Amino acid sequence: LRSFGDLEGNRSIFDLLRSTDLFVRDPLAEHYGLEPVGDDFVHLETNDVARGGILRQAGVLAATSPPFRTSYTRRGVWILEKLLCEPIGGVPVVPGGVLEEPPDGTTGLNDTATLIQHISDPLCMSCHIATDPLGLGLEAYDAIGEQREVDPNFFDELEAIFDPDLLLRTPEAVIERIADDPAFLHCVVQKIYSYALGRLPLASDDVVVDGLVEQLAAVDYSFRELLVLIATSPPFRERLS
């Protein structure tokens, strides 16, 4: 929450992804491999760890993982639905349509051979080709968001499934892929606009959201200026109390 509160300053919307700022106190600092900072939250503008932004927060990484291992599919689905506003929908009803969870206590990477067999079915591949490349780049963090080393051979094997140009090997590559996707800005604006109006988006809101997105470049994608644009938009000013 402290990290997102910092966006109330004149920060870029892209700092949601690219920021390297951290707000930590001792337990979180230890989790991130940082030196102790004390019992109160401290703002670190620079750090020596690959942290900062929503995707590298331990809480998000843990919330998008099963209890005892990571799931690049689950993380990819979260990115598509929450950051790009692209719902995936339900799992196709096919025999063996859902990968089995490994035994409790398993913390290693997902088995590549099992994944290859699983998505050999075209019905499975249609979703995994969209979700997994995004989640795979976050395999540098385990199920509770601690950093770990990833064997490069893991990604080399996956080139048998995914286009090498689409396979993301690092968190930074995932961040840039999302930031470069026009759907990201549109999704952020749509969510904040809906929150400001206190209701779910309507079809008639599309033209308003599109207009807000188009104005962002002129204000350097400022989060504060986005709030001003929303607050001065006719739907916000003319809404019923």
Side-chain angles (χ1 to χ4, degrees):
L1 291 176
R2 292 293 298 272
S3 297
F4 299 124
D6 187 48
L7 287 172
E8 293 178 2
N10 198 25
R11 300 288 297 269
S12 167
I13 292 171
F14 291 107
D15 283 344
L16 279 168
L17 300 171
R18 293 173 172 152
S19 173
T20 57
D21 290 41
L22 294 176
F23 288 88
V24 296
R25 55 193 184 97
D26 276 349
L28 189 56
E30 181 181 0
H31 191 63
Y32 285 176
L34 297 167
E35 294 295 324
V37 296
D39 294 333
D40 297 325
F41 276 100
V42 174
H43 181 196
L44 302 179
E45 295 188 31
T46 59
N47 60 80
D48 296 325
V49 294
R51 297 289 182 177
I54 190 170
L55 288 176
R56 294 178 291 196
Q57 289 191 351
V60 171
L61 293 162
T64 54
S65 298
F68 301 105
R69 67 177 180 94
T70 58
S71 169
Y72 38 77
T73 300
R74 188 176 296 187
R75 286 174 173 175
V77 168
W78 188 88
I79 289 170
L80 285 173
E81 293 187 341
K82 303 302 183 183
L83 299 183
L84 299 176
C85 293
E86 296 178 7
I88 292 298
V91 177
V93 181
V94 295
V98 179
L99 285 172
E100 295 293 328
E101 294 286 334
D104 290 355
T106 301
T107 57
L109 296 170
N110 297 327
D111 180 63
T112 309
T114 302
L115 175 63
I116 292 174
Q117 181 181 7
H118 174 70
I119 66 175
S120 61
D121 188 310
L123 283 175
C124 299
M125 170 62 92
S126 63
C127 288
H128 283 278
I129 200 71
T131 60
D132 292 6
L134 292 169
L136 282 164
L138 301 179
E139 284 293 299
Y141 303 100
D142 68 15
I144 59 172
E146 285 191 344
Q147 285 185 269
R148 64 179 178 184
E149 295 294 327
V150 180
D151 185 349
N153 292 329
F154 172 70
F155 290 102
D156 293 340
E157 292 174 7
L158 289 173
E159 289 186 1
I161 313 173
F162 302 107
D163 183 339
D165 292 335
L166 298 179
L167 196 57
L168 306 175
R169 297 174 179 245
T170 66
E172 292 71 28
V174 177
I175 288 169
E176 292 309 312
R177 176 68 59 82
I178 298 168
D180 290 341
D181 191 330
F184 170 69
L185 276 179
H186 193 278
C187 187
V188 171
V189 172
Q190 176 182 291
K191 287 179 179 292
I192 297 174
Y193 173 82
S194 296
Y195 181 82
L197 267 65
R199 59 168 174 77
L200 294 173
L202 306 174
S204 58
D205 292 324
D206 288 346
V207 65
V208 180
V209 172
D210 289 343
L212 292 169
V213 173
E214 290 176 2
Q215 297 177 73
L216 287 176
V219 294
D220 294 327
Y221 303 98
S222 164
F223 185 82
R224 176 188 290 172
E225 292 302 319
L226 170 60
L227 299 182
V228 172
L229 290 171
I230 292 173
T232 55
S233 66
F236 184 86
R237 290 187 289 107
E238 297 167 9
R239 73 194 188 284
L240 296 176
S241 31

